[in-house]
Amino acid sequence: MELIQNTSDLSVYLAADEVVDHDHPLVRETAARLAKSATDSYGYARLAFEFVRDEIPHSQDSGDPRVTWRASDVLEQGTGICYAKAHALAALPRAEDIPTAFCYQKFDVVHGLVAVRFNGAWHRQDPRGNKPGVDAQFSLDGEQLAFVPDPGFNELDYPVLYAEPHPVVLSALKAAPDRSHLWQTLPTAL
């Protein structure tokens, strides 16, 4: 699948904003700690991915009722659904000048992930969190995402790479007082 940037300006995939607040002290501190263990930008991106995938539990898996959406809140509270974990993962590479985009898949509901840019190409990564039946891995050579859409069930990969989280995703997160409410309002399409 060909991934399509929604803007040709690569600098927007490095920007900080209300959601991807990579200028926040906790995001900067986390990025600096991870960068100390990395030998290059690829190693850093892999460590950031593994940190978000493995150290921030998916709130459905852990039973955490809290809803997070800002990258710094995801890191501080240590919880989030796929969208929130993608927001945290976007903030960490952007903090180290690695262009990172938001991308989505459609199943019964929309699933969120990111793409990082290396060697002139985008590579999708899914920080959802592994569990039995889910084995997402960091890769620039082929994808190993948490889920593979089945077109026979009207599932699909959205090809667009967004610099900011999609508005329907962000609206659902911001409006949800808790995860049980969020589960009833998850977007079913972009």
Side-chain angles (χ1 to χ4, degrees):
M1 175 184 70
E2 182 182 346
L3 299 173
I4 304 163
Q5 292 176 209
N6 73 332
T7 178
S8 61
D9 181 2
L10 268 181
S11 70
V12 300
Y13 297 100
L14 293 167
D17 59 25
E18 178 187 29
V19 178
V20 184
D21 58 344
H22 66 71
D23 49 357
H24 187 280
L26 180 56
V27 178
R28 301 305 285 178
E29 173 189 308
T30 305
R33 183 170 33 85
L34 293 169
K36 283 182 185 176
S37 300
T39 57
D40 58 16
S41 60
Y42 169 84
Y44 171 81
R46 183 181 52 75
L47 287 172
F49 166 82
E50 290 172 352
F51 173 79
V52 174
R53 182 195 64 192
D54 299 341
E55 301 300 322
I56 311 257
H58 189 287
S59 57
Q60 180 185 15
D61 296 349
S62 67
D64 195 320
R66 296 174 294 169
V67 175
T68 54
W69 56 269
R70 184 178 288 117
S72 59
D73 293 339
V74 174
L75 296 176
E76 180 185 356
Q77 296 182 37
T79 190
I81 68 164
C82 63
Y83 311 134
K85 290 181 64 142
H87 300 169
L89 182 54
L92 291 170
R94 286 184 184 189
E96 293 291 317
D97 295 320
I98 299 169
T100 307
F102 296 99
C103 44
Y104 301 92
Q105 297 174 308
K106 181 189 180 307
F107 298 98
D108 291 337
V109 295
V110 174
H111 176 61
L113 45 151
V114 303
V116 292
R117 189 168 176 88
F118 279 97
N119 304 320
W122 290 100
H123 306 274
R124 294 189 306 165
Q125 312 296 329
D126 191 340
R128 184 234 176 264
N130 290 339
K131 63 179 187 173
V134 175
D135 184 27
Q137 300 296 323
F138 185 85
S139 176
L140 302 184
D141 183 28
E143 294 180 333
Q144 191 167 342
L145 305 176
F147 310 108
V148 177
D150 182 342
F153 289 103
N154 294 319
E155 299 173 350
L156 59 92
D157 286 307
Y158 288 107
V160 177
L161 300 171
Y162 299 93
E164 299 172 347
H166 195 281
V168 301
V169 166
L170 197 53
S171 293
L173 288 170
K174 285 183 168 184
D178 57 37
R179 190 175 40 83
S180 63
H181 180 271
L182 177 61
W183 243 236
Q184 298 170 25
T185 61
L186 289 172
T188 57
L190 295 183

